[in-house]
Amino acid sequence: METFSFNKIGVLGRLGSDSVVSTLQRLRHWGAEKGLTLQFDSELQSSMANGSAPVVAFSSRQAIGEWADLIIVVGGDGTLLGAARDMARYEKPLLGINRGRLGFLTDIMPQDLPGAVERVLSGDYVMENRFLLEAQLLRNNEVVGEAMAMNDVVLHPGQSIRMIEFELHIDNQFVYSQRSDGLIVSTPTGSTAYALSAGGPIMHPSLDAIVLVPMFPHTLTSRPLMIDAGSEIRIAISDNNDLPPHVSSDAQSHMETRNGDVLVIRRHPHRLHLLHPSDHNYYETCRTKLGWGSRLGDD
């Protein structure tokens, strides 16, 4: 029997996708052939019901996080973002299989199964340590909402089309007041997502920094601001807003503010350990996903 670096493998996936279920079933059969111990997210149980398939265990995400020494995520980048927020506290490595569109984070393609996964399990991989953000919404100095984000925390007007007003403080120092469509607070991971669309810089994942990108500010001099990842960001919601701004984390969780609230954003204490095949090249990923030019002379 082959010897792998990882033997207790948790499997998470996106619900409601036939292509994801197909890949999950392939992992199910492959794990049985290799004698590996796999536990699948219990939310996938009804989607994977198949009496003739090898029997596998289903567990909650909490149980998988505590038990596994590797977690495979099948889906798109959004699926991995959700898994990262759930699993970061356990500090277990994640490996993404792409069943989405871009695939910045889930970079193993289904046609490369099972070979690419076997190479990773055998120790042929590179690991990136990426940080997340944690956000707290304070009202009268009491916490009324909390969220985590791997890409970004975004202050925005919600469904209304109007500017919002707020003050920005970093490490207890006043930075500026602003009227704009909002502010994107992004990690390096999120710098190729919403922040990029708003004119923010692309940040290499190894940087220990946060970028703040204004959204359509009512001034010509407001530009993206890069700060140390250990900074504390405080955004004070003005009393002059006609409608309460909203806060979104990875565009997957949402909080509604009130005038006078304070949004506090910090680096989360736990990091995500993201595995890639050993031939992974971040710049090649940017080149292929973002349409950068190839080498001169290449077809």
Side-chain angles (χ1 to χ4, degrees):
M1 182 179 296
E2 297 173 76
T3 300
F4 293 117
S5 299
F6 306 103
N7 291 289
K8 297 187 295 183
I9 302 169
V11 182
L12 312 181
R14 178 164 59 89
L15 296 172
S17 169
D18 291 340
S19 62
V20 168
V21 171
S22 174
T23 299
L24 292 170
Q25 296 289 16
R26 287 189 66 189
L27 287 172
R28 180 182 200 169
H29 287 273
W30 166 78
E33 291 172 1
K34 296 297 181 180
L36 294 169
T37 304
L38 273 63
Q39 285 191 13
F40 288 74
D41 185 355
S42 55
E43 293 185 0
L44 301 171
Q45 189 164 2
S46 60
S47 302
M48 297 181 61
N50 189 331
S52 62
V55 176
V56 295
F58 293 92
S59 301
S60 68
R61 289 199 171 194
Q62 178 181 345
I64 288 174
E66 294 171 348
W67 167 83
D69 52 27
L70 172 68
I71 297 168
I72 295 177
V73 181
V74 181
D77 287 345
T79 306
L80 195 137
L81 291 176
R85 293 194 303 273
D86 290 341
M87 296 295 162
R89 73 192 71 178
Y90 306 110
E91 301 225 356
K92 304 296 177 64
L94 267 63
L95 177 67
I97 298 176
N98 186 27
R99 276 300 192 177
R101 292 189 296 273
L102 276 178
F104 265 100
L105 302 174
T106 52
D107 53 3
I108 291 181
M109 302 305 294
Q111 62 267 26
D112 295 330
L113 293 177
V117 175
E118 290 188 16
R119 288 194 295 274
V120 170
L121 264 60
S122 298
D124 187 16
Y125 62 82
V126 293
M127 179 185 291
E128 288 181 341
N129 297 315
R130 302 196 181 196
F131 70 87
L132 294 85
L133 299 174
E134 60 180 15
Q136 290 184 323
L137 186 62
L138 305 182
R139 184 169 300 151
N140 299 320
N141 293 320
E142 293 188 2
V143 177
V144 295
E146 293 183 295
M148 290 174 57
M150 184 176 175
N151 268 355
D152 47 45
V153 178
V154 181
L155 178 71
H156 60 94
Q159 296 183 351
S160 65
I161 304 176
R162 62 179 63 202
M163 287 189 170
I164 58 178
E165 188 173 289
F166 58 89
E167 282 190 356
L168 173 65
H169 299 253
I170 298 174
D171 291 333
N172 294 318
Q173 294 184 341
F174 173 70
V175 181
Y176 54 62
S177 60
Q178 186 176 104
R179 283 180 54 80
S180 67
D181 282 1
L183 185 68
I184 302 170
V185 180
S186 174
T187 66
T189 301
S191 69
T192 51
Y194 194 22
L196 178 64
S197 302
I202 294 176
M203 303 163 65
H204 193 276
S206 64
L207 288 176
D208 204 29
I210 294 171
V211 66
L212 290 77
V213 184
M215 300 164 60
F216 300 103
H218 201 229
T219 172
L220 297 177
T221 58
S222 186
R223 293 291 184 264
L225 175 64
M226 194 178 299
I227 62 175
D228 184 86
S231 302
E232 180 184 85
I233 301 161
R234 299 178 72 90
I235 303 171
I237 311 300
S238 171
D239 289 325
N240 298 325
N241 292 300
D242 294 329
L243 294 173
H246 291 220
V247 178
S248 297
S249 299
D250 288 344
Q252 294 180 345
S253 65
H254 307 275
M255 298 184 288
E256 185 173 319
T257 73
R258 292 181 185 174
N259 288 349
D261 285 356
V262 176
L263 177 65
V264 181
I265 303 171
R266 307 182 187 90
R267 179 175 54 195
H268 192 272
H270 298 292
R271 289 181 178 262
L272 173 71
H273 308 298
L274 187 61
L275 301 189
H276 302 281
S278 58
D279 59 354
H280 171 74
N281 183 319
Y282 177 75
Y283 301 111
E284 180 181 2
T285 300
C286 290
R287 192 165 56 249
T288 55
K289 306 299 182 183
L290 300 178
W292 291 355
S294 57
R295 289 180 185 272
L296 296 178
D298 287 355
D299 292 333

